[in-house]
Amino acid sequence: MNGANEKEMIVVRDLNKSFGELHILKGITTTVQKGEKVVIIGPSGSGKSTFLRCLNLLERPTSGSISLDGVGLLTLKERDVNMMRRNMGMVFQHFNLFPHLTILKNITLAPVKHKLMTEAEAIDTAEKLLEKVGLSDKRDAYPSQLSGGQKQRIAIARALAMNPEVMLFDEPTSALDPEMVGEVLQLMKELAEDGMTMIVVTHEMGFAKEVASRVMFMDDGQILEEAPPQEFFANPKNERTKLFLSKVLV
Amino acid sequence: MTDFINDLKDTFVKDDRWKYLTNGLVNTLIITFAAALIGIVLGFVVAMIRSTHDKTGKLKIGNFICRIYLTVIRGTPMVVQLLIMYFVIFATLSSKYKIIVAILSFGINSGAYVAEIVRSGIMSIDNGQFEAGSSLGLSYSKTMLYIILPQAFKNVLPALANEVIVLLKETSVAGYIGMEDLTKGGDIIRSLTYEAFLPLLAVAAIYLVMVIILTSLVSKLERRLAKNERR
């Protein structure tokens, strides 16, 4: 079993998060293997976004432990937290592109400021990424000139520019017009095929069925059920999961 | 008509009296721009400390000092601050450094207002921008410098320009410590000719023209910045 252990990328143990009186996460324990695509579903307010945001410490967990490649995250100093975040790309529901910078600069900013690449290397990488997401012609545009779907594809390219080991997606298609959803999901699918480790919070059941290696159902701050998609959608075991699926899979 | 021309000559031409106005104007401009510079630097520093405290809970002592500064400066009249600077804090300084004292007083005063303008600009930036910076591994200060401040600056530019315009007019009280600024220059002419209308009208007109010039410069700059970002 040693071989399997080496592939454990993210290990979460008994994770709790409270906002004041509000207990959001209630003892989350799970493990994500390298190359896995975990799709987290569940009703609004179930804590799935909070869980995702705890993974790269955008939210500080109240208790528990998270480790990435065997390194515990909760005891890291601020500097090391920033180092850790370079390995975890994050894509937000509202894109959060930098409106004052061109698309190219949005992508090159972090690698250049981290001195991981020279300006020229970063531009080179950015151009390749723009090609990958199919937006080479938007190189010198500003975010406000893009559609929602295009913005989200740029946001993905921006995260990829840091060459992360794992990508976190926080409802990446929830703020999009329905006709834009497909292009973003398609890009995520390609990313999955490239072998990227992904943790995706989404309401897109089709995506979960097709891409996920494991579907995780959360409600009330707990993981109620997790299973490979075929099993999860065909034979949900938990009553709450059945109820949820009966409502979303009409 | 000839009376009026004689008045004009008497007020401005005789004994080169117009020089009171031009020399005064030079002093007014020096004080305004040097003080604006101090004010903007000081204001940004204070705003950074205050908003870092608001966002992260750090810098408690710094924030406390900044709040005292803001309360005192915004709670007392400019003229009183100027008099205290000149007659108390720098009482031992030779009076030829008057202009330095004036610049410092107006700069420190302006800084308090700039600080709150800039802070409101920083706080108005969506928290998602901070999170995007953090998620890319950028430190708080880099996120601030490359992502937040450029956007905040653009948002507060009109308010900041307004503050400079206020400052320009506010420097008219520099005469209280014997600075020969524009207002004082006009006043000297009045005391020489016993005629108030023309010199004061000239002084008012000069202030007005400068404010109009500043305003048009700012709207030009605003338009240039807006090109980058059509929301």
Side-chain angles (χ1 to χ4, degrees):
Chain A
M1 285 304 286
N2 275 340
N5 262 342
E6 275 171 19
K7 287 197 294 181
E8 280 183 355
M9 184 176 256
I10 298 173
V11 180
V12 180
R13 282 200 208 296
D14 197 26
L15 192 71
N16 283 277
K17 171 71 185 174
S18 302
F19 292 99
E21 294 282 284
L22 213 57
H23 200 175
I24 301 287
L25 295 180
K26 300 171 180 167
I28 304 278
T29 297
T30 191
T31 303
V32 179
Q33 312 280 335
K34 190 169 170 53
E36 241 192 320
K37 294 98 183 68
V38 178
V39 173
I40 306 175
I41 61 173
S44 301
S46 58
K48 35 190 209 309
S49 282
T50 305
F51 170 54
L52 198 71
R53 291 159 57 81
C54 278
L55 290 180
N56 69 351
L57 301 187
L58 282 184
E59 304 289 355
R60 276 263 159 201
T62 314
S63 68
S65 78
I66 306 171
S67 68
L68 173 68
D69 296 328
V71 179
L73 302 187
L74 299 188
T75 50
L76 291 179
K77 295 203 175 67
E78 197 175 310
R79 258 189 80 92
D80 299 318
V81 169
N82 291 330
M83 290 293 285
M84 172 277 290
R85 284 183 178 143
R86 296 183 191 185
N87 289 325
M88 283 196 188
M90 180 142 188
V91 176
F92 299 88
Q93 181 176 357
H94 295 288
F95 332 124
N96 298 348
L97 294 181
F98 307 133
H100 62 301
L101 299 176
T102 63
I103 296 308
L104 190 75
K105 288 262 176 195
N106 261 276
I107 301 175
T108 57
L109 178 78
V112 171
K113 296 305 173 200
H114 285 311
K115 302 200 168 68
L116 293 175
M117 300 179 195
T118 65
E119 186 92 35
E121 285 168 346
I123 290 174
D124 204 45
T125 310
E127 279 171 345
K128 281 185 190 129
L129 284 166
L130 282 173
E131 205 170 312
K132 184 183 171 75
V133 303
L135 290 170
S136 295
D137 55 324
K138 301 294 181 192
R139 187 180 184 278
D140 299 312
Y142 284 89
S144 56
Q145 299 164 313
L146 269 55
S147 72
Q150 290 172 333
K151 281 184 199 168
Q152 196 59 298
R153 280 145 71 195
I154 296 299
I156 293 172
R158 179 178 68 180
L160 289 176
M162 293 298 294
N163 202 12
E165 284 180 64
V166 51
M167 288 279 285
L168 311 176
F169 293 85
D170 187 6
E171 303 202 23
T173 57
S174 297
L176 297 179
D177 286 343
E179 55 190 322
M180 312 266 177
V181 171
E183 59 189 75
V184 172
L185 291 181
Q186 181 55 36
L187 176 60
M188 289 166 65
K189 222 176 282 177
E190 287 166 22
L191 209 57
E193 282 159 13
D194 292 348
M196 175 64 76
T197 311
M198 295 162 66
I199 305 177
V200 185
V201 171
T202 187
H203 295 294
E204 297 292 332
M205 296 303 145
F207 179 82
K209 275 182 190 164
E210 199 177 336
V211 179
S213 49
R214 174 164 39 123
V215 180
M216 189 183 279
F217 177 73
M218 279 183 72
D219 190 22
D220 195 27
Q222 289 165 314
I223 299 175
L224 293 187
E225 185 162 357
E226 43 185 334
Q230 306 82 348
E231 193 183 323
F232 181 88
F233 288 106
N235 287 312
K237 303 209 169 40
N238 188 293
E239 283 306 315
R240 185 69 187 88
T241 317
K242 283 180 194 165
L243 186 68
F244 179 77
L245 288 179
S246 73
K247 283 182 182 160
V248 295
L249 298 176
V250 186
Chain B
M1 193 62 201
T2 41
D3 269 7
F4 181 66
I5 291 172
N6 279 337
D7 277 355
L8 272 181
K9 278 187 183 162
D10 206 34
T11 308
F12 299 117
V13 184
K14 196 179 165 197
D15 301 333
D16 281 348
R17 282 177 185 151
W18 55 274
K19 281 193 175 165
Y20 288 112
L21 294 182
T22 52
N23 291 343
L25 176 61
V26 169
N27 280 336
T28 291
L29 289 177
I30 292 174
I31 295 172
T32 302
F33 287 104
L37 216 61
I38 293 176
I40 287 171
V41 171
L42 195 61
F44 264 86
V45 171
V46 172
M48 293 288 287
I49 293 171
R50 296 259 292 140
S51 47
T52 301
H53 174 267
D54 289 357
K55 292 253 174 211
T56 67
K58 289 177 190 163
L59 300 176
K60 280 211 173 64
I61 297 170
N63 185 54
F64 182 69
I65 294 170
C66 288
R67 283 183 59 177
I68 291 177
Y69 162 69
L70 294 176
T71 307
V72 171
I73 295 296
R74 295 196 301 173
T76 56
M78 179 64 236
V79 183
V80 177
Q81 291 167 23
L82 183 68
L83 292 174
I84 290 175
M85 277 291 242
Y86 188 65
F87 290 110
V88 181
I89 297 173
F90 290 109
T92 53
L93 207 65
S94 155
S95 65
K96 64 180 179 201
Y97 296 118
K98 250 180 228 169
I99 193 160
I100 307 280
V101 176
I103 288 170
L104 266 180
S105 304
F106 287 110
I108 290 171
N109 179 270
S110 181
Y113 294 94
V114 171
E116 288 302 89
I117 291 171
V118 173
R119 190 172 74 97
S120 76
I122 292 172
M123 298 313 269
S124 76
I125 302 296
D126 179 38
N127 207 36
Q129 294 287 311
F130 276 98
E131 292 186 347
S134 303
S135 78
L136 290 165
L138 293 169
S139 63
Y140 178 83
S141 54
K142 277 187 177 152
T143 303
M144 206 49 156
L145 192 60
Y146 300 118
I147 297 169
I148 306 303
L149 281 181
Q151 296 182 56
F153 181 70
K154 198 188 290 183
N155 291 352
V156 300
L157 196 65
L160 224 45
N162 211 35
E163 170 56 27
V164 175
I165 289 170
V166 169
L167 178 63
L168 172 77
K169 291 181 288 179
E170 192 116 274
T171 58
S172 60
V173 300
Y176 270 86
I177 61 166
M179 267 310 300
E180 289 185 16
D181 72 323
L182 179 58
T183 306
K184 184 79 174 179
D187 211 38
I188 292 172
I189 297 176
R190 184 185 57 82
S191 67
L192 292 172
T193 59
Y194 302 108
E195 166 65 60
F197 177 69
L198 281 174
L200 291 182
L201 191 74
V203 166
I206 295 171
Y207 277 114
L208 185 62
V209 167
M210 285 192 300
V211 169
I212 291 171
I213 292 173
L214 273 178
T215 311
S216 75
L217 282 179
V218 171
S219 60
K220 245 185 212 156
L221 183 61
E222 262 183 81
R223 251 174 291 149
R224 254 189 60 192
L225 287 170
K227 258 190 212 157
N228 295 349
E229 183 187 346
R230 291 188 204 92
R231 293 202 204 221

